[in-house]
Amino acid sequence: MSAAPVLEIRDLKTWFRTDRGVARAVDGVSFEVLPGETLGVVGESGCGKSVTALSVLGLVPKPPGIHAGGQILFEGADLARLGERELEDIRGDRISMIFQEPMTSLNPVFTVGDQIAESVVRHRGVSRGEAMGVAVDMLQKVGIPSPESRVRDYPHQMSGGMRQRVMIAMALACRPTLLVADEPTTALDVTIQAQILELLAQLQRDLHMSVLLITHDLGVVEEVCDRVVVMYAGKVVERATVDDLFDRPLHPYTAGLFRSVPRATGTRAARLEVIPGVVPSPLDFPTGCRFRNRCPAARGPCAEGEPPLVEGAAGHQVACHYPEGTR
Amino acid sequence: MESAGGAPGAVTPPQGAPRRGPLSGGARAAAAAVPGLGPLLRGEPGVAAVALIYLAAALSTTAVGGGRAIEAVADWAAWGAARLAGGTAIPEWSRVRLDSLVATLTLLALYAGLWTWAVRDSRRDPTAPPARDTEGRRIWRQFRRNPGAVGGLVLIGLLYLVTLLTPLLAPYLPEVQMDVVANKLKPPGSEGFPLGTDEFARDVLSRLMYGARISLSIGFIAASLSVGLGTVLGALAAWFGGWVDMAIMRFADMLLSFPRLVLLLFLLAAFDTRSMYLIVTILGVTGWMSVSRLVRAQILSLREQDFVQAARALGLPTGRILFVHLVPNSLAPVIVAASLITGHTLLLDAGLSFLGLGVSPPTPTWGGMISDGKDLLRQAWWIAVPPGLTIVVAALSFNLVGDGLRDALDPRLRT
């Protein structure tokens, strides 16, 4: 923890006003991304990890979204306080994002070259011709064969894996310092997944950038992340290095997640464990610890105070009154 | 598309079967020399017919108006020479002179286009696979399968060609009155008046041709205005939503709740003289509502697509996302609507002229000519019938093209 973090999120609260009340999708999340590292954010669907990612880029639609508090510090500025124009200058240039669905994340009426070049023209102010040169370079970098002719292809002429490569080329064309990847491999089949992850890791080294990886796939986390943040119901419940987390999960939720991953080893007869119940609605979280209704270790005090995020072991924080191994 | 023709060792096609394959030697030269001959030799009568129609149009214009074309060029050459010599004798500029020059240049461009096409077409190998299959080519291929739509497109092309060539073709200027006593109400086929004359002894053919300029321009420009306005307003309504959407769409609903003709009469009644520009503007601003609804519906669904989020993540500004990324994605139904609206606007303009609220006389319009002829329909049918027929042909052509486009742009109907 020597270098200053690239991105530091402090007590971020992104809420949504709905007809039935305020949905506290992200409710006091803090973490930081260090230079050159990959930080994984994991959690079930609806735990607020995607909203956190969108908040970083200021892409949460407002209304109904509201910034209810907290700071997003990036290169000395609080992104949460910047105006739309200033955010546009940062997006695609200093911070980029790639999305889950490569099939629909490209505009069908423009060639992939045009789409890569567009952000280069926007942020670098170069001519279209130069930008197309950058586009060819980027396609080469993301491993698309014969990039000179492929820049003139339309998205529908490419496969899902290639489109995700194009998306990556678009996001990285201006060499951002931070890449936010929102489930970048979820929509791809497993072999392509591995290729894309390998590509991301290689580009990360080449361009010295940090990656904020949003995923629900623990296999992916183990593969590529340096540190992990586990989110549950809009809160960070555990924060650790990958090795620590996988060796010794402290939060009962994290432990439950690991037990519910199917494994190829072991006997068939062993039933896969599940965490009982469902994620509570963000409109109506339980009092105290938000996980207590589903927690095997819950007892009286859990209903009263929300557990703060505290150091459970060296460099390993957990938000639980009764972390694993202390009972 | 057959693949056997031209391949080495392929069986010679039986006598009379259409030859498919690249043309050879003499045939290629002949095809390059006569536009339309190449497709005929390859057994593509449809393409041949289109080429020959335009060739006939070019040749007959030359036959009728070649003299005037030479005059026009000589006129402007003399004017240019005088300017170069520094002389003060600058010939009087006139609308007629400029018109003739434009028509002459159009004729030359038509010839140039025909032969460029013929030469390129004669070298074409129909058995070769297409180089790159773009969306545009797919749409064109589907459109071509619809004979009605192609016919409509050819007719529209001819009509607009006539409007450009009118100064070479029309026997008289439209407002010219002959000696009324001798020449009024001459029937078609009379000496010097192919379609006869009206009660003011004006040549019906000339008025029909010059009227085409006004009527077709009004149809086209007013429809473009409607489509442009509708696209922008619909896109803004869909993107910004809220009170912007409310204001624009309720205003559209309000305009739609008037019968269009009543709205037009109400607006036009305020003006004493009605120029073409006035009519175009008023038709344009009363016709955008259906387009704006179309575009709004399209953009409402498109704005939720992932690529919009991706474009925002690249830091592109709202205006660019809306008008560069979303609007082109929503254009397919708009193009269809545009051709239908053009036909509709043409009819509406004819209706207005018929009611006496179109472009003020003596400027000829098709609707105005019908209006002039309606009282004399029993004695002189030739005043009202020709413009009536051209209105039908023009409106029908636009509708056919619109229908063809609708089918060609619908991927579900594609084969």
Side-chain angles (χ1 to χ4, degrees):
Chain A
M1 291 239 178
S2 51
V6 171
L7 175 76
E8 189 176 357
I9 296 181
R10 282 190 201 151
D11 198 30
L12 176 68
K13 289 178 180 161
T14 304
W15 296 352
F16 292 90
R17 264 189 238 282
T18 71
D19 294 342
R20 290 174 298 141
V22 173
R24 289 174 289 165
V26 173
D27 199 17
V29 164
S30 302
F31 59 77
E32 68 283 312
V33 184
L34 302 177
E37 82 164 346
T38 301
L39 177 74
V41 176
V42 291
E44 280 169 279
S45 303
C47 72
K49 54 190 194 298
S50 285
V51 175
T52 306
L54 291 176
S55 300
V56 170
L57 281 95
L59 288 177
V60 174
K62 292 172 187 168
I66 39 176
H67 173 68
Q71 294 166 299
I72 304 165
L73 300 172
F74 176 79
E75 292 184 347
D78 182 1
L79 299 186
R81 291 181 182 282
L82 291 185
E84 184 60 22
R85 280 304 308 243
E86 295 155 304
L87 277 173
E88 278 169 10
D89 285 341
I90 291 174
R91 289 202 289 253
D93 187 18
R94 315 301 305 138
I95 307 181
S96 273
M97 183 159 181
I98 53 178
F99 296 90
Q100 182 172 354
E101 275 295 337
M103 303 312 274
T104 53
S105 292
L106 293 169
N107 189 335
V109 303
F110 293 110
T111 64
V112 297
D114 281 336
Q115 296 186 54
I116 299 171
E118 196 174 16
S119 86
V120 181
V121 171
R122 162 75 177 82
H123 293 294
R124 292 281 175 268
V126 299
S127 72
R128 224 191 79 90
E130 285 173 69
M132 282 309 263
V134 174
V136 173
D137 285 350
M138 286 312 297
L139 286 184
Q140 170 107 48
K141 270 208 177 65
V142 297
I144 286 186
S146 51
E148 295 83 6
S149 68
R150 283 302 207 161
V151 283
R152 288 192 300 274
D153 274 4
Y154 287 88
H156 69 92
Q157 292 166 303
M158 295 187 153
S159 68
M162 286 175 85
R163 285 190 220 183
Q164 192 61 292
R165 284 169 192 266
V166 170
M167 281 299 300
I168 293 172
M170 278 167 72
L172 302 189
C174 292
R175 300 172 176 261
T177 42
L178 175 67
L179 176 70
V180 180
D182 189 1
E183 311 236 8
T185 57
T186 308
L188 305 171
D189 50 21
V190 187
T191 49
I192 308 291
Q193 262 186 32
Q195 289 174 14
I196 295 289
L197 290 174
E198 173 53 38
L199 173 71
L200 273 178
Q202 180 210 325
L203 289 169
Q204 183 179 10
R205 282 192 301 274
D206 292 353
L207 303 177
H208 308 293
M209 64 178 181
S210 308
V211 175
L212 178 62
L213 181 75
I214 314 290
T215 184
H216 60 245
D217 188 334
L218 291 168
V220 170
V221 169
E222 189 172 17
E223 195 75 29
V224 300
C225 293
D226 300 309
R227 292 188 308 125
V228 192
V229 168
V230 182
M231 282 185 70
Y232 182 79
K235 290 258 180 203
V236 173
V237 293
E238 189 162 6
R239 206 161 59 174
T241 63
V242 168
D243 294 340
D244 274 355
L245 191 81
F246 278 69
D247 289 348
R248 209 160 51 89
L250 292 182
H251 199 281
Y253 173 64
T254 318
L257 278 184
F258 284 130
R259 280 196 298 273
S260 51
V261 174
R263 280 169 214 287
T265 54
T267 56
R268 273 252 189 129
R271 281 187 68 91
L272 194 59
E273 265 191 63
V274 293
I275 302 175
V278 292
V279 186
S281 158
L283 291 165
D284 183 25
F285 287 129
T287 56
C289 174
R290 292 178 180 182
F291 187 57
R292 70 182 161 86
N293 295 338
R294 305 172 69 189
C295 183
R299 42 199 104 156
C302 294
E304 278 141 37
E306 244 181 76
L309 194 64
V310 293
E311 201 88 356
H316 190 152
Q317 294 94 32
V318 63
C320 181
H321 293 305
Y322 306 101
E324 300 272 315
T326 61
R327 278 161 293 191
Chain B
M1 193 162 287
E2 279 121 287
S3 55
V11 185
T12 323
Q15 205 88 45
R19 253 185 60 100
R20 291 286 175 108
L23 299 168
S24 55
R28 178 180 292 186
V34 184
L37 194 60
L40 210 56
L41 289 172
R42 281 198 311 267
E44 296 166 353
V47 183
V50 172
L52 290 172
I53 286 171
Y54 279 98
L55 182 63
L59 291 175
S60 50
T61 306
T62 315
V64 175
R68 282 192 211 173
I70 293 165
E71 252 173 56
V73 172
D75 227 27
W76 284 84
W79 179 78
R83 286 298 303 264
L84 279 179
T88 47
I90 295 169
E92 190 191 339
W93 184 90
S94 85
R95 214 184 143 64
V96 180
R97 281 167 196 249
L98 186 64
D99 247 16
S100 304
L101 186 72
V102 169
T104 307
L105 293 177
T106 307
L107 185 61
L108 292 176
L110 178 60
Y111 276 119
L114 270 171
W115 260 279
T116 313
W117 175 81
V119 169
R120 282 183 53 182
D121 181 71
S122 71
R123 298 202 193 114
R124 198 170 67 92
D125 177 1
T127 58
R132 261 179 104 77
D133 205 16
T134 60
E135 187 65 11
R137 278 190 200 172
R138 266 192 290 273
I139 291 167
W140 173 234
R141 207 159 54 223
Q142 187 69 29
F143 185 84
R144 252 179 19 184
R145 294 211 184 118
N146 183 339
V150 174
L153 193 63
V154 171
L155 280 173
I156 290 174
L158 280 178
L159 281 173
Y160 278 97
L161 195 60
V162 167
T163 64
L164 283 168
L165 295 175
T166 294
L168 301 184
L169 288 170
Y172 305 95
L173 285 176
E175 293 89 358
V176 171
Q177 284 176 251
M178 304 323 133
D179 177 0
V180 176
V181 180
N183 292 321
K184 85 172 198 183
L185 297 181
K186 288 262 193 190
S190 307
E191 179 75 40
F193 307 112
L195 286 180
T197 59
D198 65 10
E199 60 178 324
F200 303 111
R202 297 177 297 195
D203 181 49
V204 171
L205 179 64
S206 302
R207 286 183 69 74
L208 190 66
M209 283 181 165
Y210 279 99
R213 302 183 127 189
I214 306 291
S215 294
L216 289 174
S217 305
I218 288 178
F220 186 78
I221 302 172
S224 310
L225 193 61
S226 289
V227 170
L229 261 179
T231 304
V232 171
L233 289 174
L236 291 176
W239 182 266
F240 290 105
W243 66 267
V244 178
D245 186 24
M246 193 73 166
I248 294 176
M249 294 326 286
R250 291 304 78 78
F251 184 56
D253 287 344
M254 195 188 82
L255 287 182
L256 279 171
S257 63
F258 290 98
R260 178 117 181 248
L261 201 58
V262 173
L263 190 64
L264 289 168
L265 294 181
F266 175 74
L267 289 172
L268 284 167
F271 297 89
D272 289 335
T273 48
R274 294 170 299 276
S275 70
M276 191 181 121
Y277 304 102
L278 176 72
I279 306 276
V280 160
T281 310
I282 287 182
L283 281 172
V285 298
T286 53
W288 53 272
M289 293 83 76
S290 60
V291 177
S292 72
R293 285 187 166 180
L294 264 179
V295 172
R296 175 175 175 272
Q298 289 276 317
I299 302 238
L300 275 182
S301 81
L302 283 168
R303 61 177 286 193
E304 302 301 326
Q305 298 249 327
D306 294 339
F307 70 80
V308 176
Q309 185 84 296
R312 295 191 60 206
L314 288 175
L316 302 180
T318 297
R320 188 165 173 89
I321 294 176
L322 182 54
F323 289 106
V324 178
H325 283 257
L326 288 182
V327 168
N329 269 294
S330 69
L331 280 187
V334 173
I335 292 169
V336 175
S339 59
L340 298 176
I341 286 176
T342 309
H344 188 74
T345 309
L346 199 80
L347 285 177
L348 209 57
D349 167 56
L352 283 177
S353 301
F354 183 79
L355 293 175
L357 284 164
V359 179
S360 304
T363 308
T365 60
W366 290 347
M369 290 174 72
I370 297 179
S371 177
D372 291 345
K374 69 176 189 294
D375 298 329
L376 296 163
L377 206 52
R378 288 164 73 110
Q379 303 100 297
W381 55 267
W382 56 86
I383 302 173
V385 168
L389 284 178
T390 50
I391 288 171
V392 170
V393 168
L396 186 68
S397 299
F398 278 111
N399 285 350
L400 284 172
V401 170
D403 261 3
L405 277 174
R406 190 203 319 268
D407 292 351
L409 289 169
D410 186 346
R412 277 165 305 180
L413 294 175
R414 225 169 271 160
T415 42

